[in-house]
């Protein structure tokens, strides 16, 4: 599913390396928990997996596709078609209502739209309801009027719609209380299992770790992460 080899990345040429990863392989259907110190390169690694940034050296292969071989629009289409992202800062479109935010991947990708079934809007509502959001009550509001925890669940529904093969979640539970966190995690797992997706989940919260098939510390894979 994912294979990284001899990756080096820095944000600016005069900066030190943020990623120095000799190897990382993730199998199809695997659920991987990634932990590590703040500033240790977790979000940077997820950006690399999503083809948002390119390494200065090394190769990133996702679903057998070499990311470096994809240019501009093709890479955007690949990302929209195959990867669901829950960003650390949600990245919702503030003026759009929640259903439209969830449907965005279906707008950008015919593949995601087809995989969302005959009625993508109904699928959006199902996912939001499954994330325990009171859809009817919140539906008319722009998402900027939702709480942080509500926005986080909208972001998760958006990542899941149209069953992408790879779901990437960056601290998706940081705004949730304990009950909501447990519920969110089991719902996410259920949807990921049903779709047969691979999940990469970044968190500081070690309490979530037992729910995952494999767990790695950034310092184990990335020579540029300080051990802590
Ligand atoms: N867009 C950017 N431009 C320049 N430097 C960046 C950028 N994003 C991150 N960095 C730097 O890269 C390093 C790794 O940041 P990153 O966001 O990947 O860490 P993280 O492990 O996700 O941290 P956190 O747990 O706080 O989210 C940090 O030193 C950070 O300052
Ligand atoms: Mg981060």
């Amino acid at each position: 599913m994912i294979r990284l080899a001899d990756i080096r990345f820095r944000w600016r040429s005069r900066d030190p390396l943020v990623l120095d990863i000799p190897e990382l392989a993730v199998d199809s259907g695997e659920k991987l928990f990634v932990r590590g110190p703040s500033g240790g390169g977790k979000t940077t690694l997820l950006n690399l997996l999503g083809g948002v940034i390119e390494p200065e050296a090394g190769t990133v292969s996702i679903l057998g596709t070499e990311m470096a071989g994809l240019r501009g629009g093709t890479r955007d289409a690949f990302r929209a078609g195959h990867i669901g992202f829950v960003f650390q800062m949600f990245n919702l479109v503030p003026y759009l209502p929640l259903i439209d935010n969830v449907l965005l991947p279906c707008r950008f990708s015919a593949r995601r739209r087809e995989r969302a079934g005959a009625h993508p809007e109904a699928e959006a509502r199902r996912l939001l309801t499954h994330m325990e959001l009171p859809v009817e009550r919140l539906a008319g509001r722009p998402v900027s009027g939702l709480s942080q925890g509500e926005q986080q669940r909208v972001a998760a529904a958006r990542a899941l719609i149209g069953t992408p093969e790879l779901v990437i979640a960056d601290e998706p539970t940081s705004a949730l209380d304990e009950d909501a966190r447990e519920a969110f995690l089991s719902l996410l797992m259920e949807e990921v299992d049903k779709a047969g997706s691979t999940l990469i989940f970044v968190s500081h919260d070690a309490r979530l770790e037992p729910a995952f098939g494999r767990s790695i510390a950034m310092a184990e894979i990335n020579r540029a992460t300080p051990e802590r």
Side-chain angles (χ1 to χ4, degrees):
M1 161 59 77
I2 295 173
R3 191 161 294 279
L4 300 190
D6 304 316
I7 292 296
R8 287 163 163 270
F9 177 86
R10 66 187 104 219
W11 283 100
R12 278 177 297 258
S13 56
R14 60 184 180 284
D15 287 352
L17 287 172
V18 172
L19 299 178
D20 180 2
I21 303 180
E23 214 231 321
L24 174 66
V26 183
D27 288 338
S28 180
E30 217 176 346
K31 297 195 196 93
L32 180 65
F33 184 88
V34 180
R35 62 188 190 282
S38 188
K42 301 184 296 300
T43 297
T44 306
L45 172 61
L46 299 184
N47 280 323
L48 190 81
L49 295 176
V52 179
I53 55 175
E54 282 184 71
E56 67 183 48
T59 53
V60 179
S61 147
I62 310 279
L63 288 160
T65 298
E66 228 24 272
M67 296 306 272
L70 302 180
R71 286 289 133 225
T74 320
R75 180 185 302 218
D76 294 342
F78 181 84
R79 184 189 315 120
H82 300 279
I83 306 178
F85 248 107
V86 189
F87 294 94
Q88 194 163 10
M89 304 299 182
F90 319 139
N91 291 18
L92 299 175
V93 181
Y95 54 84
L96 286 180
L98 70 171
I99 300 281
D100 302 76
N101 265 281
V102 175
L103 287 171
L104 281 174
C106 301
R107 258 170 64 185
F108 293 128
S109 164
R111 183 170 193 276
R112 293 281 288 278
R113 189 163 58 244
E114 277 156 27
R115 290 165 70 104
H119 304 287
E121 185 164 335
E123 175 62 359
R125 285 175 185 276
R126 185 192 72 77
L127 285 164
L128 288 165
T129 305
H130 199 188
M131 290 288 149
E132 299 187 337
L133 275 182
V135 181
E136 296 314 322
R137 184 164 64 77
L138 301 177
R141 296 192 208 168
V143 287
S144 54
L146 305 187
S147 78
Q148 297 284 299
E150 287 166 348
Q151 290 191 35
Q152 212 149 42
R153 285 173 284 169
V154 174
R158 183 181 60 181
L160 292 166
I161 197 158
T163 62
E165 288 95 332
L166 177 58
V167 176
I168 291 177
D170 197 355
E171 307 270 6
T173 58
S174 56
L176 303 179
D177 66 33
E178 194 177 334
D179 286 347
R181 194 169 56 226
E182 296 285 318
F184 173 89
L185 192 65
S186 65
L187 297 173
L188 178 67
M189 293 295 190
E190 223 175 277
E191 292 294 335
V192 161
D193 279 338
K194 198 169 78 171
S197 308
T198 304
L199 174 65
I200 300 194
F201 187 103
V202 162
S203 180
H204 287 119
D205 190 347
R207 286 169 297 187
L208 302 176
E209 216 171 324
F212 290 79
R214 177 154 72 115
S215 165
I216 53 174
M218 280 301 287
E220 291 167 24
I221 58 164
N222 182 22
R223 293 179 184 144
T225 300
E227 296 229 26
R228 262 224 225 125

